[in-house]
Amino acid sequence: MKPFLREKKTFSAAEIPEATAFEAGYLVTVNSGWRSIRPVIDTGRCIGCEQCYLYCPDGVIAIQNGKAVIDYDFCKGCGICAKICKIGAIGTEAEHK
Amino acid sequence: MANPTAERLSRDEYFYGHKACAGCGGSLAVRAALKVLGQNAVSVLPAGCMSAVGFNFPQLCFSNNSIISTFAGTASMLTGIETGLRAKGYSDFTAVGFAGDGGTADIGIQALSGAIDRNDNIIYICYDNEAYMNTGIQKSGLTPFGARTTTTPAGANIHGNLRPKKNMFEIAAAHDIPYAATASVGYLPDFIKKVEKASRIKGTKYIHVIAPCPTGWGIAPDETVEIAKEVVDCGLWYLAEYENGEFTLNHKPKDFTSVEAYLKKQGRFKHLDLDDIKTVIESRDKKWAFIEKNFTYQ
Ligand SMILES: Cc1ncc(C[n+]2csc(CCOP(=O)(O)OP(=O)(O)O)c2C)c(N)n1
Ligand code: SF4
Ligand code: SF4
Ligand code: SF4
Ligand SMILES: [Mg+2]
């Protein structure tokens, strides 16, 4: 499991919990708008060593079929993955969104 | 390709979608530790960046049970959670706290000392970004000598912080705690091993992990992991454990890399002159003489 984006974003007073947040894992906003650079995986070169997965502070890299895949909704473009990938399979480009 | 560290961790993410700055070292420490401890971890986060970025109503970026404590009360709340869950008949859980350097070495030290004294069965992790970051970079007891913060500005006469870093690791060890360790997010597999080990030990566990803050340190967001590695490689931080009354050094750099190079990469140390750097090197050498004498290296 991981926290995920919810459809429901507005609430009546009665639905609001008496706590500092909603239930564990309740996300209503993405972080993609923070990015000034976008990391891009060169799937041909990626050897699935999982170093980028391990060191991503946001946990947005998953390994699927032996290759790294980025969840761009939540990647902030810090660039740590591009530096940690020893074989240079992660490039960076300017974010245009 | 197999990655032995990644393979031991939960594939789930327990700290996701949080609002930490890009490249935040503290968020990497929290994420990695929770991937070790898993769904049944109950985390306590005092006032500080990790609570500020994790709980943004109505968002909760933790997918395990998590709660904000008072700034001073991380360890007290851990004690209460551990005791309360045990009293209700639960046994398969880990009470874990993630407190900053200010929350640990300054305002939270009394509660932490009390918990260690009672030997409560908790894991206390201090993510050390070397200042009060969430309130805009004020000096804490763990800010190193020479660092510029908003309360230790650098001018012509005074070059940033005048005082050395408090030795929290040995302060925890001095309680004869069952387990204490130092770590760095630049050596993530070592940190992960220490969290795994702590989760198997009964009683109080204290882990002190260096977690660079790009915003407060004046580094680029992609430099967090490198700088967290370099602080160990240049000898200004060390990877060690305390267990059964003994100190163990886990990693011994063959030759230290340049202290000056480490300092000059960071905005907070840019103003330091050669005399200041000499002072830093001398205190490093004194520390390592102590380590050589009192720690075993396996
Ligand atoms: C009793 C009390 N005093 C002051 C504050 C304000 N405050 C909130 S976070 C914070 C800084 C925390 O610094 P640290 O523990 O190092 O964590 P960081 O923000 O660096 O992650 C301060 C001073 C507070 N919340 N409660
Ligand atoms: S670090 Fe590079 S090679 Fe390894 S999984 Fe990530 S992208 Fe692939
Ligand atoms: S740029 Fe940063 S947040 Fe985005 S995938 Fe890489 S390490 Fe993760
Ligand atoms: S200010 Fe520093 S510690 Fe706080 S969220 Fe940003 S990078 Fe992390
Ligand atoms: Mg701090």
Side-chain angles (χ1 to χ4, degrees):
Chain A
M1 197 274 202
K2 68 180 186 190
F4 62 97
L5 260 189
R6 311 291 172 124
E7 295 290 321
K8 192 165 165 59
K9 289 175 183 152
T10 52
F11 309 92
S12 68
E15 289 173 308
I16 293 172
E18 287 172 8
T20 50
F22 273 42
E23 68 184 48
Y26 206 106
L27 300 186
V28 294
T29 54
V30 296
N31 296 335
S32 52
W34 296 25
R35 266 198 313 272
S36 54
I37 62 135
R38 164 187 279 259
V40 181
I41 313 252
D42 180 343
T43 311
R45 292 172 74 182
C46 172
I47 52 166
C49 72
E50 307 197 81
Q51 282 294 96
C52 55
Y53 157 76
L54 214 53
Y55 279 93
C56 171
D58 292 83
V60 302
I61 303 181
I63 305 292
Q64 286 169 14
N65 303 319
K67 306 282 181 185
V69 180
I70 297 173
D71 177 355
Y72 287 108
D73 274 352
F74 291 103
C75 163
K76 293 171 186 157
C78 67
I80 286 175
C81 54
K83 280 211 168 164
I84 213 90
C85 179
K86 280 210 182 65
I87 57 165
I90 307 182
T92 54
E93 48 188 53
E95 183 64 75
H96 296 298
K97 239 188 357 183
Chain B
M1 209 179 112
N3 183 319
T5 304
E7 256 152 45
R8 291 202 311 276
L9 297 177
S10 164
R11 290 281 157 189
D12 295 336
E13 297 294 337
Y14 298 98
F15 191 36
Y16 201 82
H18 55 74
K19 303 297 182 189
C21 313
C24 171
S27 66
L28 177 54
V30 171
R31 170 189 173 238
L34 287 178
K35 282 172 78 72
V36 172
L37 302 174
Q39 188 69 59
N40 291 353
V42 181
S43 22
V44 173
L45 299 112
C49 276
M50 292 307 110
S51 59
V53 306
F55 301 73
N56 289 276
F57 195 85
Q59 288 217 149
L60 181 49
C61 299
F62 292 90
S63 55
N64 59 306
N65 281 310
S66 297
I67 187 168
I68 302 180
S69 76
T70 59
F71 197 13
T74 314
S76 322
M77 193 174 266
L78 286 168
T79 296
I81 286 173
E82 194 280 327
T83 314
L85 286 176
R86 193 156 35 83
K88 287 193 136 220
Y90 293 98
S91 56
D92 184 20
F93 68 91
T94 311
V96 60
F98 297 99
D101 45 289
T104 300
D106 298 338
I107 192 169
I109 197 168
Q110 180 180 348
L112 173 60
S113 179
I116 305 175
D117 183 38
R118 294 183 300 270
N119 199 24
D120 291 327
N121 190 22
I122 60 171
I123 303 179
Y124 188 109
I125 297 179
C126 169
Y127 66 94
D128 182 6
N129 51 29
E130 304 194 318
Y132 291 84
M133 293 309 180
N134 192 51
T135 39
I137 325 176
Q138 295 80 26
K139 176 213 178 288
S140 81
L142 292 175
T143 302
F145 171 83
R148 186 189 64 212
T149 69
T150 52
T151 50
T152 57
N157 296 315
I158 296 181
H159 299 175
N161 181 27
L162 296 170
R163 298 289 303 149
K165 209 173 157 69
K166 232 188 240 188
N167 195 338
M168 263 319 290
F169 169 55
E170 283 169 43
I171 292 171
H175 292 72
D176 203 16
I177 191 171
Y179 183 71
T182 60
S184 163
V185 297
Y187 285 88
L188 208 54
D190 171 78
F191 171 60
I192 286 168
K193 261 189 226 147
K194 287 167 177 172
V195 178
E196 285 171 336
K197 190 162 173 184
S199 72
R200 292 191 299 264
I201 293 172
K202 213 169 147 51
T204 312
K205 287 80 62 176
Y206 175 80
I207 301 178
H208 192 121
V209 57
I210 290 288
C213 161
T215 312
W217 290 25
I219 54 170
D222 65 357
E223 286 171 340
T224 299
V225 170
E226 285 169 2
I227 211 90
K229 194 168 173 299
E230 199 171 339
V231 70
V232 174
D233 297 344
C234 77
L236 293 181
W237 189 244
Y238 53 95
L239 308 179
E241 288 171 300
Y242 174 84
E243 220 185 337
N244 304 320
E246 302 281 341
F247 286 105
T248 311
L249 183 68
N250 309 116
H251 172 79
K252 198 174 193 166
K254 217 149 110 236
D255 297 301
F256 291 132
T257 59
S258 160
V259 163
E260 184 171 1
Y262 166 76
L263 296 172
K264 291 296 181 180
K265 275 180 196 158
Q266 304 173 50
R268 62 179 177 153
F269 293 123
K270 278 263 152 34
H271 58 276
L272 295 187
D273 64 23
L274 287 176
D275 274 350
D276 300 325
I277 293 167
K278 212 173 127 232
T279 304
V280 176
I281 294 173
E282 279 167 7
S283 77
R284 175 198 69 184
D285 293 346
K286 205 170 140 217
K287 179 77 218 179
W288 278 89
F290 179 88
I291 290 174
E292 299 280 353
K293 198 165 151 230
N294 298 291
F295 289 31
T296 50
Y297 176 62
Q298 24 89 318

